[in-house]
Amino acid sequence: MNRTDRLYALVEEMRAVAPRPRSARWLADRFEVSVRTVERDISALQQSGVPIYAETGRRGGYCLDKARTLPPVNLTPTEAVAMAVALRQLEGTPFRESAGTALRKLVAAMQHDDALAADDMASRTYLLGEETVTPSIPRALADAVAARRVLRIGYGDRASASTVREIEPLGYVGTPSHWYLVGWCRLRDALRVFRTDRITAVSVTAEIPRHRVLRREDLDIPYGKVRQLSVR
């Protein structure tokens, strides 16, 4: 069994018995590999976003959070590859890393033959031209709105003047060339938009800000049409 097949089989084995644990030794015997190989495979799955956690104790082992996993889905190989192509457009956005883990979760939940077909189709798909090198966004910024914590940032304006600010993250604005974090700036006591590549430092505080609503009309953007995103 190759590694791709084994990773898929590990997830299916733990999904079948969830929430009960499977020990590394049991899994190693089941798939005829070493315990160290199982531990590396589990680590790879965890890094790709599969919700596996370790349960300690004599009867412990690795558990899969069944409530946060998907049953086999009817995503076609072509749909999976279409999503992979679309992800290439997300470089430099707050959602690139999360989109990658979401795609891996979906592929892991596909029917096994379809997942293999998607992998084969992806290997036959090529993109022409130079790849644009876009600065990555720090994880603290990418998770800022969902985390709902006050951020302390260093920010350089267009004149290269630097300030330290505490902001309450409210949302994001994306353009073809840049991404911005929208937040309530405590230094200015007003709504402000911060270009992510001008944020020079970021730290997450323990403070939970009061709830604020971000409306389209609050974004005083003098150019272009503002469109609100929907996942439905």
Side-chain angles (χ1 to χ4, degrees):
M1 179 183 293
N2 63 40
R3 189 167 190 250
T4 299
D5 290 343
R6 188 173 66 250
L7 291 174
Y8 180 88
L10 275 168
V11 173
E12 289 307 299
E13 175 63 39
M14 286 188 286
R15 179 182 286 123
V17 299
R20 290 176 290 142
R22 287 292 196 207
S23 70
R25 169 54 60 192
W26 191 98
L27 292 168
D29 292 342
R30 166 71 177 79
F31 295 106
E32 299 179 347
V33 294
S34 68
V35 170
R36 180 61 182 154
T37 295
V38 167
E39 290 171 345
R40 284 198 298 264
D41 288 349
I42 294 294
S43 176
L45 289 168
Q46 289 172 326
Q47 290 175 38
S48 71
V50 179
I52 297 173
Y53 60 93
E55 189 172 284
T56 59
R58 187 169 61 87
R59 296 178 180 240
Y62 292 109
C63 304
L64 185 72
D65 186 350
K66 202 168 187 176
R68 297 182 62 192
T69 62
L70 295 169
V73 296
N74 293 323
L75 194 69
T76 69
T78 303
E79 288 170 336
V81 174
M83 292 177 65
V85 172
L87 288 185
R88 298 301 293 267
Q89 309 303 314
L90 293 180
E91 294 295 341
T93 78
F95 309 105
R96 176 63 185 92
E97 188 172 340
S98 295
T101 58
L103 178 60
R104 289 191 288 273
K105 287 179 185 179
L106 283 171
V107 172
M110 291 171 66
Q111 299 292 338
H112 187 46
D113 291 345
D114 286 342
L116 291 178
D119 188 54
D120 179 69
M121 186 181 299
S123 72
R124 299 168 185 270
T125 303
Y126 299 86
L127 302 176
L128 184 64
E130 294 294 329
E131 187 169 12
T132 302
V133 179
T134 308
S136 61
I137 293 180
R139 188 61 185 263
L141 288 182
D143 292 343
V145 174
R148 293 197 67 246
R149 292 292 187 276
V150 173
L151 297 184
R152 186 173 294 110
I153 67 170
Y155 190 70
D157 63 18
R158 67 182 62 186
S160 299
S162 182
T163 55
V164 176
R165 311 179 185 215
E166 287 192 349
I167 63 172
E168 303 170 19
L170 296 176
Y172 304 102
V173 173
T175 73
S177 56
H178 299 291
W179 273 81
Y180 300 80
L181 176 66
V182 183
W184 185 266
C185 177
R186 292 181 172 179
L187 178 65
R188 305 302 184 199
D189 195 27
L191 191 72
R192 288 291 186 269
V193 177
F194 302 93
R195 213 172 90 176
T196 55
D197 62 337
R198 290 180 179 164
I199 296 176
T200 57
V202 57
S203 60
V204 183
T205 74
E207 182 183 353
I208 300 175
R210 72 181 182 86
H211 179 70
R212 296 181 189 272
V213 176
L214 178 62
R215 302 169 301 172
R216 185 184 312 183
E217 52 266 34
D218 294 330
L219 298 172
D220 185 18
I221 298 176
Y223 57 89
K225 180 180 179 182
V226 178
R227 301 185 306 276
Q228 192 171 38
L229 190 67
S230 173
V231 296
R232 300 182 185 179

